[in-house]
DNA sequence: ATGTTCCTTTGACCTTAGTCAAAGGAACTG
DNA sequence: CAGTTCCTTTGACTAAGGTCAAAGGAACAT
């Protein structure tokens, strides 16, 4: 891993310092009106309803503390609680109309604050700012995603593959038959690898590597959750799979793609893959690629 | 003023929310170690020494609260206080070596946090992020600067003109004689205008408008503090001065520039000024420009 | 010199934020 | 169905953050 140069660290910290000075302080106190911060945040987080358990985890609060705050909001008529239908240990919280008003007011104030901040810029400059913040957010999100190797039969792996299958079933004109997916044992242990990308502990992408023949691997099922697209995550997954291939002694990797996945093809080309003739009988494939990973290896 | 489209407001708020979620929470608790936040912030703010009064204003704290916190830090051996030489009502606080260590540790932790955040990006992506954050900060700073009309003899006006004079004295090969500056009454009331740009209540730029002859104004002394350059502030000042000109019934404005101020010349051209022959006997001027502000006026 | 303003300290208080442990009811496990 | 785990509530505390008013000393204005 290349070291992070101080230039970038400094730039990042400078920006944070500036932004917190400029808005962070105002933000909380101003937006929460005269309501305590904790309550304001809780109100906001309840949103369209959530169980206390969920809220506890999301906000990282002590159970007792949360219980009391919820009761306080209830006493103010902003929140209504009820018992979960199926699991009566769980308590659900939802906003009353008054609570919704309150959150709406919070949002209006935040908007007004942002608007006041942007007002003195020209429309061009606002566009430039929006673009810059978009880029920054995209990169920070990408930086926050961790990729881990999991067993092909793990719950997260299955969840990703299910989402992947549903996704391409909708995109391939001929649909997609889930039995064409890799079997868990093909992508686990010495046979291959399965990578899952996590954003804030939620799986948002995956990729599989299996062995085609000695020294030759195949990359399959590179998928990114719709909400995590356009971040550059697919490249990172591909990168991770290639590293896995090398570790598995697979100096050459191949992959195929469906005709409709044109962005994927462009990505593979950009990552050093070259088109080759059909190497399998995958009915969904229209293009085949390969990439040599280890130098000097003679086949 | 053009309205701010919701797109930009939303983008800005989304970014803020994201960043606070991602780092804001960690930041404070993590960086302050086991020291209370208030104390950690105070320590950081004391930096190379400051009076309690200054700190009170900067941090927006209650006098009693601040007094107690300072004493607490003093008791921990992190801060030393003394009485101001000239005004013995004021109390000065400065860091002891131990306090400096503590702040150093805070900084190291903040750096480490930033570094961990950036580590998983490629060097290219880090560069892109740094650039985006730089752009965002530049624009936010610019948006936070307010331009006000002040009297030409006011303290802020004089301070800006002094800085301007010193600045160009250093840049003009032949130096600059401050008696060539506009007189206060030329740029005040009906005769003209003096604008000062404030960033967080500190003057960071200025510009003057005076009447050359009926219907013709002259823009002079457009200056931006070195730390506020490259934000686009000069343009905003110029803009403000042109508006003042129109309000003063000056449909045509002229200005001159010194040969060495090439960026300024480029800016004037970009803002619609056209070069004209010498119209004054300013010994420092090498180029003369003018711009018509009101349509249809016949001269 | 005298009244006013400014800065800091101190005492008295209050709210918010957060922790810990005990306990009770519901669901899950074998 | 017995034991365990999970979720919530309650009581008992503590620390931190923050406010208000009174008071004393220093500087400033006239």
């Amino acid at each position: 891993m290349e070291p992070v140069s101080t230039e970038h660290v400094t730039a990042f910290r400078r920006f944070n310092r500036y932004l917190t000075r400029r808005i962070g302080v105002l933000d909380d106190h101003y937006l929460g009106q005269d309501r305590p911060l904790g309550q304001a945040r809780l109100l906001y987080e309840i949103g369209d309803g959530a169980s206390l358990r969920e809220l506890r985890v999301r906000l990282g609060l002590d159970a007792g503390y949360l219980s009391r705050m919820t009761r306080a909001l209830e006493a103010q008529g902003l929140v209504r609680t009820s018992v979960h239908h199926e699991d009566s240990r769980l308590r659900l919280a939802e906003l009353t109309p008054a609570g919704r008003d309150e959150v709406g007011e919070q949002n209006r104030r935040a908007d007004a604050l942002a608007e006041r901040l942007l007002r003195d810029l020209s429309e061009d400059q606002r566009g430039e700012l929006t673009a810059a913040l978009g880029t920054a957010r995209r990169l920070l999100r990408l930086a926050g995603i961790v990729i881990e190797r999991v067993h092909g039969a793990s719950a997260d792996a299955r969840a990703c593959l299910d989402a992947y299958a549903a996704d391409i079933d909708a995109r391939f004109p001929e649909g997609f038959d889930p039995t064409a997916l890799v079997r868990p044992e093909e992508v686990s242990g010495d046979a291959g690898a399965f990578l899952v990308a996590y954003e804030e502990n939620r799986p948002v992408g995956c990729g599989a590597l299996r062995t085609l023949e000695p020294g030759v691997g195949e990359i399959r099922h590179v998928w990114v959750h719709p909400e995590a697209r356009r971040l550059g995550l697919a490249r990172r997954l591909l990168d991770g799979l290639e590293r896995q291939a090398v570790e598995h002694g697979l100096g050459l990797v191949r992959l195929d793609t469906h005709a409709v996945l044109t962005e994927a093809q462009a990505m593979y080309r950009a990552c050093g893959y070259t088109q080759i003739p059909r190497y399998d009988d995958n009915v969904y494939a229209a293009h085949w690629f390969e990439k040599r990973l280890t130098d000097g290896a003679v086949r």
Side-chain angles (χ1 to χ4, degrees), chain A residues 48-64:
Chain A
D48 293 325
S51 68
L52 291 194
R53 186 176 172 286
E54 239 176 293
L55 294 168
R56 220 183 57 216
V57 174
R58 280 222 294 268
L59 292 168
L61 296 176
D62 172 81

Side-chain angles (χ1 to χ4, degrees), chain A residues 28-136:
Chain A
D28 284 343
H29 277 221
Y30 180 76
L31 301 179
Q33 298 175 248
D34 26 74
R35 197 169 307 290
L37 231 100
Q39 285 184 25
R41 274 210 274 263
L42 178 54
L43 209 57
Y44 187 87
E45 206 68 31
I46 288 174
D48 293 325
S51 68
L52 291 194
R53 186 176 172 286
E54 239 176 293
L55 294 168
R56 220 183 57 216
V57 174
R58 280 222 294 268
L59 292 168
L61 296 176
D62 172 81
Y65 186 31
L66 175 63
S67 174
R68 256 182 283 258
M69 271 208 293
T70 312
R71 291 231 170 279
L73 290 175
E74 213 174 351
Q76 291 168 70
L78 302 172
V79 161
R80 205 176 12 236
T81 64
S82 58
V83 171
H84 195 282
H85 323 284
E86 290 167 2
D87 186 342
S88 39
R89 292 172 304 180
L90 287 172
R91 205 159 183 78
L92 299 173
E94 54 176 351
L95 297 179
T96 62
R100 231 179 292 280
D101 279 2
E102 187 76 24
V103 172
E105 178 60 25
Q106 265 182 47
N107 274 318
R108 261 190 301 284
R109 282 175 177 246
D111 280 350
L113 191 69
E115 192 166 333
R116 203 159 342 128
L117 225 81
L118 302 178
R119 191 163 29 194
D120 281 346
L121 293 178
S122 71
E123 187 60 26
D124 279 0
Q125 290 170 326
R126 284 177 211 145
E128 205 186 339
L129 178 61
T130 295
L133 293 180
T135 301

Side-chain angles (χ1 to χ4, degrees), chain A residues 36-290:
Chain A
L37 231 100
Q39 285 184 25
R41 274 210 274 263
L42 178 54
L43 209 57
Y44 187 87
E45 206 68 31
I46 288 174
D48 293 325
S51 68
L52 291 194
R53 186 176 172 286
E54 239 176 293
L55 294 168
R56 220 183 57 216
V57 174
R58 280 222 294 268
L59 292 168
L61 296 176
D62 172 81
Y65 186 31
L66 175 63
S67 174
R68 256 182 283 258
M69 271 208 293
T70 312
R71 291 231 170 279
L73 290 175
E74 213 174 351
Q76 291 168 70
L78 302 172
V79 161
R80 205 176 12 236
T81 64
S82 58
V83 171
H84 195 282
H85 323 284
E86 290 167 2
D87 186 342
S88 39
R89 292 172 304 180
L90 287 172
R91 205 159 183 78
L92 299 173
E94 54 176 351
L95 297 179
T96 62
R100 231 179 292 280
D101 279 2
E102 187 76 24
V103 172
E105 178 60 25
Q106 265 182 47
N107 274 318
R108 261 190 301 284
R109 282 175 177 246
D111 280 350
L113 191 69
E115 192 166 333
R116 203 159 342 128
L117 225 81
L118 302 178
R119 191 163 29 194
D120 281 346
L121 293 178
S122 71
E123 187 60 26
D124 279 0
Q125 290 170 326
R126 284 177 211 145
E128 205 186 339
L129 178 61
T130 295
L133 293 180
T135 301
R137 199 169 79 98
R138 177 173 66 77
L139 289 165
L140 286 173
R141 276 186 68 189
L142 180 60
I145 293 177
V146 295
I147 293 178
E148 274 171 37
R149 186 180 174 194
V150 303
H151 193 277
S154 70
D156 288 343
R158 299 324 298 178
C160 282
L161 285 179
D162 289 350
Y164 166 74
D167 198 352
I168 58 177
D169 182 54
R171 282 168 81 179
F172 292 178
E174 70 273 32
F176 178 76
D177 174 9
T179 60
L181 293 173
V182 292
R183 281 166 292 116
E185 61 278 16
E186 289 180 289
V187 294
S188 305
D190 290 339
F194 197 91
L195 300 183
V196 173
Y198 294 92
E199 181 175 30
E200 281 160 32
N201 296 318
R202 273 193 300 274
V204 292
C206 69
L209 170 76
R210 66 170 179 175
T211 304
L212 274 186
E213 59 189 76
V216 182
E218 185 184 32
I219 284 172
R220 301 199 63 185
H221 310 332
V222 173
W223 173 77
V224 173
H225 190 286
E227 285 185 10
R229 287 187 189 155
R230 317 210 55 74
L231 298 179
L233 180 53
R235 263 170 205 256
R236 267 187 65 196
L237 282 164
L238 192 59
D239 219 58
L241 290 168
E242 290 174 4
R243 242 188 296 255
Q244 286 292 330
V246 173
E247 279 178 34
H248 281 74
L250 306 169
L252 184 72
V253 285
R254 291 182 175 153
L255 54 86
D256 60 35
T257 77
H258 190 279
V260 302
L261 301 177
T262 49
E263 335 82 80
Q265 290 154 34
M267 181 189 73
Y268 293 132
R269 271 183 236 278
C271 289
Y273 284 76
T274 52
Q275 197 145 8
I276 54 167
R278 167 186 284 272
Y279 67 82
D280 61 14
D281 55 358
N282 182 348
V283 296
Y284 300 107
H287 304 281
W288 295 262
F289 294 89
E290 75 175 18

